[in-house]
Amino acid sequence: MKIAVLPGDGIGPEIVRQATKVLERLRADGLPVEVETASIGGAGYDADGDPLPAKTLDVARAADAIVLGAVGGPRYDTLPRAMRPEQGLLRIRKELGLFTNLRPAMVYEELASASSLKPELVSGLDIMILRELTGDIYFGQPRGRRTNDAGEREGFDTMRYSESEIARIARVGFEIARKRSRRLCSVDKANVLDTSILWREVVTEVGRDFPDVELSHMYVDNAAMQLVRAPKQFDVILTGNMFGDILSDEASMLTGSIGMLPSASLDAQGKGLYEPIHGSAPDIAGRDVANPLATILSLGMMMRYTFDNEEAAARIERAVARVLQDGRRTGDIAGPGATPIGTEAMGDAVVAALADAAHR
Ligand code: IPM
Ligand code: MG
């Protein structure tokens, strides 16, 4: 298991350190884990003048899987776009062909009251958001700035999807739905956008190969509303890059904290990059208060999706469930009255729980 570790910026290094402890524990228990660390984002820019240094890309290519913390910070906000930390992340996704982005939103019973929605609306929630990750307005050309005929500055981007890009992510969506409740909701803006009209057409065509899966379509504005009105109506949500970015942040709040949500970004062969869906949170960086659970849960997804090791995946997930049952909380999920523990202590608690989880 060759794993590239890319801590990144802000809280990235401290949360990734907790994930590394978990990997060390798994190695001590006999998994053939090998780790190599490299820089990305602002850290890449500081070290090599590039948010995705060539040697980082080499390390990532050579690895079976990658764990990433987060990128970005106010220090880099004024750099030209190509040098900004976010470009490191977007480029590694594109370079490695990681077009499938899985963002599960699951509510732990212990945390149902930490959600900003009423506990009964979210209790038992288990949604899978499937976001296309290498196309759409994020990568469409042309894009840029120009001066228009009126002599004004103008910014422009291109929303674009080809048929094959839509079909391959749709197929992943139907396959996932097959393993869950056999319901797939495709989200678009087909009442306005040509890109979305094609999206809906192609998803419908692919659906003919999956007659056992019930396909529905929803406009993204309605989906955003339904997610906070009655989120349990959803099982698998399939959507494009930008709508998926927005809806997955929204869905994270159903679960209590964005600090709980892992993600997997996969290529066609199952190689993957695993990262929390939250950002680098520069305001709390270095203070030992960040929640490392999303990153640790991302390792669980890594064991499942890249290494096909369900036992290790379940063991990590049980360990996280266990520390929550034991009442361990970082500040973001503590709720009134609870005494939060720090990032390191949470990492240690999960490592300790892993020892137990091995024998169940
Ligand atoms: C995410 C993030 C990234 C994205 C940023 C950091 C480029 O918000 O992974 O959701 O927009 O994809
Ligand atoms: Mg996002």
Side-chain angles (χ1 to χ4, degrees):
M1 298 181 169
K2 285 179 77 169
I3 301 171
V5 174
L6 312 182
D9 309 318
I11 59 172
E14 54 199 290
I15 54 176
V16 164
R17 194 154 57 237
Q18 312 316 312
T20 311
K21 286 187 205 164
V22 168
L23 287 175
E24 276 160 13
R25 173 75 222 191
L26 295 177
R27 184 177 44 215
D29 292 343
L31 284 190
V33 171
E34 266 176 55
V35 164
E36 187 164 6
T37 302
S39 55
I40 194 166
Y45 178 78
D46 290 338
D48 291 291
D50 185 346
L52 181 62
K55 59 183 181 224
T56 299
L57 190 55
D58 289 344
V59 169
R61 280 195 205 285
D64 303 311
I66 301 146
V67 54
L68 187 145
V71 298
R75 280 207 294 132
Y76 310 103
D77 280 351
T78 52
L79 290 173
R81 190 168 57 80
M83 287 299 137
R84 290 189 52 157
E86 292 78 6
Q87 287 301 311
L89 184 56
L90 297 177
R91 277 168 52 205
I92 198 171
R93 289 172 178 169
K94 190 74 172 175
E95 290 282 348
L96 299 181
L98 308 173
F99 68 91
T100 296
N101 186 215
L102 299 171
R103 298 192 163 189
M106 233 191 76
V107 171
Y108 287 85
E109 241 16 78
E110 296 82 7
L111 299 184
S113 63
S115 170
S116 41
L117 295 195
K118 296 188 197 90
E120 64 270 24
L121 279 186
V122 296
S123 162
L125 182 85
D126 180 3
I127 300 178
M128 179 65 86
I129 296 184
L130 173 61
R131 169 187 177 195
E132 199 288 332
L133 202 58
T134 55
D136 204 356
I137 194 165
Y138 271 61
F139 295 96
Q141 293 291 344
R143 64 183 295 168
R145 289 165 67 120
R146 61 192 167 204
T147 306
N148 69 13
D149 295 343
E152 263 190 304
R153 285 171 302 164
E154 194 171 87
F156 60 101
D157 296 273
T158 302
M159 182 177 266
R160 190 203 140 271
Y161 265 122
S162 70
E163 180 173 6
S164 60
E165 285 173 310
I166 301 167
R168 69 178 176 177
I169 194 72
R171 244 173 252 121
V172 176
F174 283 103
E175 297 287 358
I176 291 173
R178 246 185 197 164
K179 292 189 195 139
R180 295 173 52 109
S181 73
R182 295 176 185 269
R183 285 185 298 125
L184 180 65
C185 179
S186 172
V187 170
D188 62 37
K189 187 70 185 171
N191 50 346
V192 176
L193 302 172
D194 278 305
T195 320
S196 282
I197 295 173
L198 180 68
W199 176 279
R200 195 175 276 220
E201 248 170 61
V202 175
V203 171
T204 305
E205 285 159 20
V206 170
R208 297 200 186 109
D209 294 338
F210 299 84
D212 52 322
V213 175
E214 182 194 312
L215 171 65
S216 60
H217 302 275
M218 198 181 277
Y219 298 137
V220 63
D221 49 349
N222 187 23
M225 179 185 71
Q226 296 299 336
L227 266 176
V228 288
R229 191 189 71 86
K232 284 189 258 180
Q233 72 186 280
F234 295 107
D235 188 52
V236 184
I237 294 178
L238 163 68
T239 191
N241 203 347
M242 184 161 69
F243 299 154
D245 178 45
I246 299 166
L247 293 180
S248 59
D249 263 36
E250 189 190 7
S252 75
M253 269 300 122
L254 308 173
T255 72
S257 170
I258 195 166
M260 292 298 300
L261 291 206
S263 78
S265 306
L266 307 173
D267 73 3
Q269 282 75 44
K271 173 169 177 157
L273 182 149
Y274 297 85
E275 56 175 326
I277 82 153
H278 62 69
S280 57
D283 51 323
I284 59 165
R287 290 174 35 204
D288 194 43
V289 296
N291 184 348
L293 294 180
T295 314
I296 292 172
L297 288 167
S298 297
L299 295 181
M301 294 189 84
M302 177 190 290
M303 292 300 149
R304 175 168 301 122
Y305 292 105
T306 292
F307 297 117
D308 206 14
N309 188 332
E310 183 54 37
E311 193 191 319
R315 191 176 160 206
I316 292 169
E317 287 161 2
R318 275 200 307 269
V320 169
R322 177 64 182 276
V323 300
L324 294 174
Q325 280 152 22
D326 290 348
R328 310 292 181 102
R329 301 281 188 276
T330 42
D332 56 316
I333 49 175
T339 314
I341 61 173
T343 309
E344 289 285 342
M346 186 58 111
D348 293 340
V350 174
V351 171
L354 270 174
D356 289 0
H359 309 294
R360 268 182 283 163

